[in-house]
Coordinates of all heavy atoms in Angstrom, one line a residue:
N166 N -17.8 -11.0 -16.0 CA -16.7 -10.6 -15.1 C -17.2 -9.6 -14.1 O -18.4 -9.2 -14.2 CB -15.6 -10.1 -16.0 CG -14.1 -10.2 -15.3 OD1 -13.9 -10.0 -14.2 ND2 -13.2 -10.8 -16.1
S167 N -16.3 -9.1 -13.3 CA -16.7 -8.0 -12.3 C -15.7 -7.1 -12.4 O -14.4 -7.3 -12.4 CB -16.8 -8.6 -11.0 OG -17.9 -9.6 -10.9
I168 N -16.0 -5.7 -12.3 CA -15.1 -4.7 -12.3 C -15.1 -4.1 -10.8 O -16.2 -3.7 -10.3 CB -15.5 -3.5 -13.2 CG1 -15.5 -4.0 -14.7 CG2 -14.6 -2.3 -13.0 CD1 -14.1 -4.5 -15.2
Y169 N -14.0 -4.1 -10.3 CA -13.8 -3.6 -8.9 C -13.2 -2.2 -9.0 O -12.1 -2.0 -9.5 CB -12.9 -4.5 -8.0 CG -13.4 -6.0 -7.9 CD1 -13.2 -6.9 -8.8 CD2 -14.2 -6.3 -6.7 CE1 -13.7 -8.2 -8.7 CE2 -14.7 -7.6 -6.6 CZ -14.4 -8.6 -7.7 OH -14.9 -9.9 -7.5
G170 N -13.9 -1.3 -8.4 CA -13.4 0.1 -8.3 C -12.9 0.5 -7.0 O -13.5 0.0 -6.0
Q171 N -11.9 1.2 -6.8 CA -11.3 1.7 -5.6 C -11.2 3.3 -5.7 O -10.4 3.7 -6.4 CB -10.0 1.0 -5.3 CG -9.6 1.3 -3.8 CD -8.3 0.5 -3.5 OE1 -7.2 0.8 -4.0 NE2 -8.5 -0.6 -2.7
F172 N -12.0 4.0 -4.8 CA -11.9 5.4 -4.8 C -11.3 5.7 -3.5 O -11.7 5.5 -2.4 CB -13.3 6.0 -4.8 CG -14.0 5.7 -6.1 CD1 -14.6 4.5 -6.4 CD2 -14.4 6.8 -6.9 CE1 -15.3 4.3 -7.5 CE2 -15.0 6.6 -8.2 CZ -15.4 5.3 -8.4
S173 N -10.1 6.3 -3.6 CA -9.3 6.5 -2.4 C -9.0 8.1 -2.3 O -8.8 8.8 -3.3 CB -8.0 5.8 -2.4 OG -7.2 6.0 -3.5
D174 N -8.7 8.5 -1.1 CA -8.4 9.9 -0.7 C -7.0 10.1 -1.3 O -6.0 9.5 -1.0 CB -8.4 10.1 0.8 CG -8.2 11.5 1.3 OD1 -7.7 12.3 0.5 OD2 -8.6 11.8 2.4
S175 N -6.9 11.1 -2.2 CA -5.6 11.4 -2.8 C -4.8 12.5 -2.3 O -3.7 13.0 -2.8 CB -5.8 11.7 -4.3 OG -6.6 12.9 -4.5
R176 N -5.3 13.1 -1.1 CA -4.4 14.2 -0.5 C -3.2 13.6 0.0 O -3.1 12.3 0.5 CB -5.2 14.7 0.8 CG -6.5 15.5 0.3 CD -7.2 16.0 1.5 NE -7.8 14.8 2.3 CZ -8.3 15.0 3.5 NH1 -8.4 16.2 4.1 NH2 -8.7 14.0 4.1
A177 N -2.1 14.3 0.0 CA -0.8 13.8 0.5 C -0.8 13.8 2.0 O -1.0 14.9 2.6 CB 0.3 14.7 0.0
T178 N -0.6 12.6 2.6 CA -0.5 12.4 4.0 C -1.6 13.2 4.9 O -1.2 14.0 5.7 CB 0.9 12.7 4.5 OG1 1.1 14.2 4.3 CG2 2.0 11.9 3.8
P179 N -2.8 12.9 4.5 CA -3.9 13.6 5.3 C -3.9 13.2 6.7 O -3.7 12.0 7.1 CB -5.2 13.2 4.6 CG -4.9 11.9 4.0 CD -3.4 12.0 3.5
S180 N -4.2 14.2 7.6 CA -4.2 13.8 9.1 C -5.4 13.0 9.4 O -5.4 12.2 10.5 CB -4.2 15.1 9.9 OG -5.2 16.0 9.5
N181 N -6.4 13.1 8.6 CA -7.6 12.3 8.9 C -8.2 11.9 7.5 O -9.1 12.5 7.0 CB -8.7 13.2 9.6 CG -10.0 12.4 9.9 OD1 -10.0 11.2 10.0 ND2 -11.0 13.1 10.2
P182 N -7.6 10.8 6.9 CA -8.0 10.4 5.6 C -9.5 9.9 5.5 O -9.9 9.3 6.5 CB -7.0 9.3 5.2 CG -6.6 8.8 6.5 CD -6.5 9.9 7.5
A183 N -10.1 10.0 4.4 CA -11.4 9.5 4.1 C -11.2 8.0 3.9 O -10.3 7.5 3.3 CB -12.1 10.2 2.9
T184 N -12.1 7.2 4.4 CA -12.2 5.8 4.2 C -12.3 5.6 2.7 O -13.3 6.1 2.0 CB -13.3 5.2 4.9 OG1 -13.1 5.4 6.3 CG2 -13.3 3.6 4.8
A185 N -11.5 4.7 2.2 CA -11.6 4.3 0.7 C -12.9 3.7 0.4 O -13.4 2.9 1.2 CB -10.4 3.4 0.3
L186 N -13.5 3.9 -0.7 CA -14.7 3.3 -1.2 C -14.4 2.3 -2.2 O -13.7 2.5 -3.2 CB -15.7 4.4 -1.7 CG -17.0 4.0 -2.1 CD1 -17.9 3.6 -1.0 CD2 -17.6 5.0 -3.1
N187 N -15.0 1.1 -2.0 CA -14.9 0.1 -3.0 C -16.2 -0.2 -3.7 O -17.2 -0.2 -3.0 CB -14.3 -1.2 -2.4 CG -12.9 -1.1 -1.8 OD1 -12.1 -0.6 -2.5 ND2 -12.6 -1.5 -0.6
T188 N -16.2 -0.4 -4.9 CA -17.4 -0.6 -5.7 C -17.2 -1.9 -6.5 O -16.1 -2.4 -6.8 CB -17.8 0.5 -6.7 OG1 -16.6 0.6 -7.6 CG2 -17.8 1.8 -6.0
L189 N -18.3 -2.5 -6.8 CA -18.4 -3.8 -7.7 C -19.5 -3.7 -8.7 O -20.7 -3.3 -8.3 CB -18.7 -4.9 -6.7 CG -18.8 -6.4 -7.4 CD1 -17.6 -6.7 -8.1 CD2 -19.2 -7.4 -6.4
T190 N -19.0 -3.8 -10.0 CA -20.0 -3.6 -11.1 C -19.9 -4.8 -12.0 O -18.8 -5.2 -12.4 CB -19.7 -2.3 -11.9 OG1 -19.7 -1.3 -11.0 CG2 -20.8 -2.1 -12.9
P191 N -21.0 -5.5 -12.3 CA -20.9 -6.6 -13.2 C -20.5 -6.2 -14.6 O -21.1 -5.1 -15.1 CB -22.3 -7.2 -13.2 CG -22.9 -6.8 -11.9 CD -22.4 -5.5 -11.7
L192 N -19.7 -6.8 -15.3 CA -19.3 -6.6 -16.7 C -19.7 -7.9 -17.5 O -19.3 -9.0 -17.2 CB -17.8 -6.3 -16.8 CG -17.2 -6.2 -18.2 CD1 -17.8 -5.1 -19.0 CD2 -15.7 -6.2 -18.1
T193 N -20.5 -7.6 -18.6 CA -21.0 -8.7 -19.4 C -20.7 -8.3 -20.9 O -20.9 -7.3 -21.4 CB -22.4 -8.9 -19.2 OG1 -22.7 -9.2 -17.9 CG2 -22.9 -10.1 -20.1
V194 N -20.1 -9.4 -21.6 CA -20.0 -9.3 -23.0 C -20.8 -10.2 -23.7 O -20.7 -11.5 -23.5 CB -18.5 -9.5 -23.5 CG1 -18.4 -9.3 -25.0 CG2 -17.6 -8.5 -22.8
E195 N -21.8 -9.8 -24.5 CA -22.7 -10.7 -25.1 C -22.3 -10.8 -26.7 O -22.4 -9.8 -27.4 CB -24.2 -10.1 -25.1 CG -24.7 -10.1 -23.5 CD -25.3 -11.4 -23.1 OE1 -25.2 -12.3 -23.9 OE2 -25.7 -11.5 -22.0
V196 N -22.0 -11.9 -27.1 CA -21.7 -12.2 -28.5 C -22.8 -13.0 -29.2 O -23.1 -14.2 -28.7 CB -20.3 -13.0 -28.6 CG1 -19.9 -13.1 -30.1 CG2 -19.2 -12.2 -27.8
A197 N -23.4 -12.5 -30.1 CA -24.5 -13.1 -30.8 C -24.0 -14.2 -31.8 O -22.8 -14.3 -32.1 CB -25.3 -12.0 -31.7
D198 N -24.9 -15.1 -32.2 CA -24.6 -16.1 -33.1 C -24.7 -15.5 -34.5 O -25.7 -15.3 -35.1 CB -25.6 -17.3 -33.0 CG -25.3 -18.4 -33.9 OD1 -24.3 -18.4 -34.6 OD2 -26.1 -19.4 -34.1

C-alpha cells in the first residue's frame, strides 16, 4: 500500500500560509509461510 502524508500550516487564517507538503511512503506487510 502507500501512505500519503499531508503537512499543513495550522495557524488560524494566516496572511501568508506555508504551502502544504505532501509525502508518499510505501507500506508493506510481509506475511511468512
Side-chain angles (χ1 to χ4, degrees):
N166 208 308
S167 296
I168 298 297
Y169 299 87
Q171 189 174 75
F172 295 72
S173 56
D174 190 337
S175 64
R176 294 177 296 169
T178 61
S180 54
N181 183 21
T184 301
L186 178 75
N187 294 315
T188 62
L189 174 62
T190 306
L192 169 65
T193 304
V194 180
E195 295 279 359
V196 181
D198 183 4

